[in-house]
Each structure stands twice: as C-alpha cells, then as structure tokens.
Amino acid sequence: MKNFTTLLLLIFLFYNCKGQDKDEKKKIDTKVYIANCKGEYSTKEKLTKKDKGWSLNNSDIEKIMNLSVPLTEEEWHFSYPITPCNINIKGYSYKGKKYDLQINGGSYISFFDGKKTQILGCELPECKKYFLKSKENMEEEDLSSSSNSESTQTKNYRVNFNKSDKNDIVFIEKNINDYTLKAQTDNKVFFTKNISCDFIEIDTNTKNKQAFNLILGYTDQYQNTSRKIVIPVFFKNNDLLIEKLFIATLGTSAKTGEEEWMQKEISEKTSLKQLDLDKILLE
C-alpha cells in the first residue's frame, strides 16, 4: 500500500511539473516587446499614440524574420523609411547563432553578432500589419482600364520634378521582353526609355534631393533575386540625370564560402536616356 501511495505521488508530481513547464513555455512564447520611441520623424511628422504603443511578441518576431530578406546598405538607404521607434532584443537566436536585434518601425531589422551588422527588409504584403511604415510606395497607383486596355501591366507614380503643383508622373509599362519607363510633367511626356530587367520599381521616398530612385532587379533560373541596381534619378533642365549607381550582386564569399550580397558603387554622370546598363554590367 505504501509503494502504491508513493507511485501515485510521483505521477501527480510529474504531471504537475509538466503543466508548469507548459505554462512557463506559454509565458515565454507570448512575451511582448514594447517599442522605444525617441524624437520625431525626419519629415517633422510627430509621434502618434500608435507609434508609442507599437509592440511585437515572440510569435510576431519569428514571422517577421521568416518573411524578411537580406538588404544591401544602399537598398535600405534608398527604399526603406526610418522611424524614431525601435524594438531592441538581446540574444535572439537566429539560424543557430545569437544576435542583438533592433527592429525599426520602417519594416527593417538590424542584427549584430558581435562582429558584423546585417540588415533584413520585410517588404511582402504580409509584413504590413507588424510595422508602423511600409516599404510600399503609397502613392503608387494602377492606371484605370479606361485609359489603358492593359492597365494591370502599367503602374504610375506621382513625383514632384519642379517642386510645383504640376501633374508630374512616372509610368512603368510592362512589355513582353522588357519595361518602358516614361516621365511626364504638366501632362506632357518628356522622357521615354526601354529597360531590360526582370522587375522594376520606383521609390519616391527620397532623401538626397533626387526626384526618385529607380530600382532594377534580376533573377536567376530559380526566380530568386540575384542582383539589384539602385539608381538615384535627378531632374534638371527638363531631363532625367544620374550621378551614380549602387549594384548589389548575390555571390559566394571567398573567405567563408557562404552566399552573401556583394556591393559596388559606380560613378556614372550621364543622362538616364544615355545610360548603357549592359556595358556597365559587363565591366
């Protein structure tokens, strides 16, 4: 009888401890990180209650990390908004290593392993609900079907070439083998150029007085992005001009043998019309 009582006691303690473990695990999984907000936006936009109340839990962060992709410094600089709100996490486990994370409300994550800082960007539609600001350009619009029979293949972006109230627009038209970039001011098209690439984007959230950033992407045989080119485009004398290009290529590191993004900045002062991308990419 004594042995039976002891057995029952051990069984009770086992399940009681197991239940406690589940409760502890649940507490860890639902841990919430509150944003630390300081200052204001570079646009002088004031912090809102939404900004100050921004938070993520462990499950959110895991989903964000799975949705995000590596960014080059140039791509981050020209394509992602920076908010004064960050969520900081020490010792986060990612792909078998420990990192210090800083998650910015502008849809990007910086993580540091003690030696090197890397940046991830979360640009998919699923990312929007987790951040304060999205990479997506909210001024991007689809042309109505009444103005173009293939409206789903055409996008337009509102820009401001002359800092005036004129109707300035950049158009991207998808063709069978390439894209056509058009620019208009005061309802008149003044620029047209065909560009061969796998995908193309226009970023109007600029920081260095350029009219917009032209982002070109190239994919490999598996449809994975293998190269991106960011081109700051300036408007002057009714023409589109460039001063440099930022090229990021996915390759294998000679030191580690692992895949990483290799970055290159090329000075190329010319008009966008005269830019010869094929020649530059062959150099």
Side-chain angles (χ1 to χ4, degrees):
M1 183 68 180
K2 184 178 180 180
N3 290 338
F4 179 72
T5 303
T6 302
L7 179 61
L8 287 177
L9 180 61
L10 290 173
I11 293 172
F12 172 77
L13 289 173
F14 172 78
Y15 280 101
N16 188 49
C17 291
K18 189 174 181 181
Q20 289 179 350
D21 289 341
K22 286 183 177 178
D23 290 339
E24 289 298 320
K25 188 175 186 301
K26 186 176 181 180
K27 287 179 182 178
I28 293 172
D29 288 343
T30 57
K31 183 175 180 179
V32 175
Y33 298 89
I34 307 296
N36 179 24
C37 298
K38 292 183 179 179
E40 59 184 19
Y41 288 88
S42 59
T43 58
K44 303 302 179 181
E45 178 184 347
K46 302 295 183 182
L47 289 171
T48 65
K49 288 184 179 180
K50 178 183 176 182
D51 295 328
K52 296 176 181 178
W54 178 48
S55 65
L56 297 170
N57 60 38
N58 276 346
S59 177
D60 295 333
I61 294 167
E62 184 178 350
K63 289 175 183 175
I64 287 171
M65 296 300 283
N66 289 332
L67 290 170
S68 299
V69 295
L71 297 178
T72 65
E73 186 174 347
E74 289 78 21
E75 187 176 7
W76 162 73
H77 179 75
F78 286 110
S79 301
Y80 283 79
I82 299 174
T83 75
C85 297
N86 293 292
I87 291 176
N88 299 302
I89 304 171
K90 295 285 187 180
Y92 183 83
S93 181
Y94 178 66
K95 293 186 177 181
K97 294 182 179 180
K98 295 286 186 179
Y99 295 92
D100 290 340
L101 297 186
Q102 184 175 83
I103 305 174
N104 187 272
S107 297
Y108 67 88
I109 306 105
S110 302
F111 58 108
F112 181 64
D113 63 359
K115 296 180 181 179
K116 181 180 178 183
T117 298
Q118 300 179 63
I119 304 176
L120 298 178
C122 200
E123 61 181 45
L124 295 173
E126 298 94 312
C127 298
K128 291 182 183 179
K129 62 182 178 181
Y130 298 111
F131 294 94
L132 298 173
K133 299 284 185 180
S134 172
K135 183 198 174 214
E136 180 181 357
N137 173 26
M138 298 308 292
E139 292 183 295
E140 177 183 329
E141 301 174 353
D142 286 331
L143 291 177
S144 64
S145 57
S146 61
S147 63
N148 193 311
S149 61
E150 295 181 340
S151 60
T152 57
Q153 298 297 310
T154 305
K155 292 182 179 179
N156 66 349
Y157 303 78
R158 298 196 179 278
V159 294
N160 196 339
F161 290 130
N162 292 307
K163 307 298 181 184
S164 66
D165 295 329
K166 292 183 178 180
N167 189 21
D168 298 339
I169 301 176
V170 174
F171 299 87
I172 298 294
E173 297 178 359
K174 182 173 175 55
N175 307 315
I176 296 176
N177 298 315
D178 61 7
Y179 291 85
T180 300
L181 171 68
K182 295 181 180 180
Q184 78 171 34
T185 184
D186 200 19
N187 296 315
K188 295 180 181 178
V189 174
F190 68 90
F191 178 93
T192 302
K193 181 180 177 68
N194 281 28
I195 300 174
S196 179
C197 60
D198 294 315
F199 62 87
I200 186 169
E201 299 173 12
I202 298 293
D203 174 28
T204 60
N205 185 26
T206 60
K207 302 175 184 178
N208 296 305
K209 297 183 179 180
Q210 67 267 38
F212 60 90
N213 297 316
L214 176 62
I215 304 170
L216 310 179
Y218 302 83
T219 59
D220 59 21
Q221 59 182 324
Y222 304 107
Q223 300 304 305
N224 297 317
T225 301
S226 59
R227 176 181 286 154
K228 275 195 174 185
I229 303 176
V230 179
I231 309 173
V233 180
F234 298 84
F235 178 79
K236 187 176 181 180
N237 298 327
N238 209 43
D239 196 8
L240 299 181
L241 308 174
I242 69 170
E243 296 179 354
K244 59 182 65 176
L245 303 87
F246 299 97
I247 302 177
T249 305
L250 187 63
T252 303
S253 170
K255 292 183 178 179
T256 65
E258 297 181 353
E259 278 193 337
E260 65 178 41
W261 285 94
M262 291 170 280
Q263 305 171 33
K264 181 167 62 173
E265 178 181 324
I266 296 178
S267 179
E268 188 75 13
K269 294 186 177 182
T270 183
S271 69
L272 184 59
K273 176 81 74 174
Q274 299 300 320
L275 178 63
D276 188 344
L277 279 173
D278 291 335
K279 180 182 176 181
I280 290 174
L281 293 176
L282 287 174
E283 292 178 350

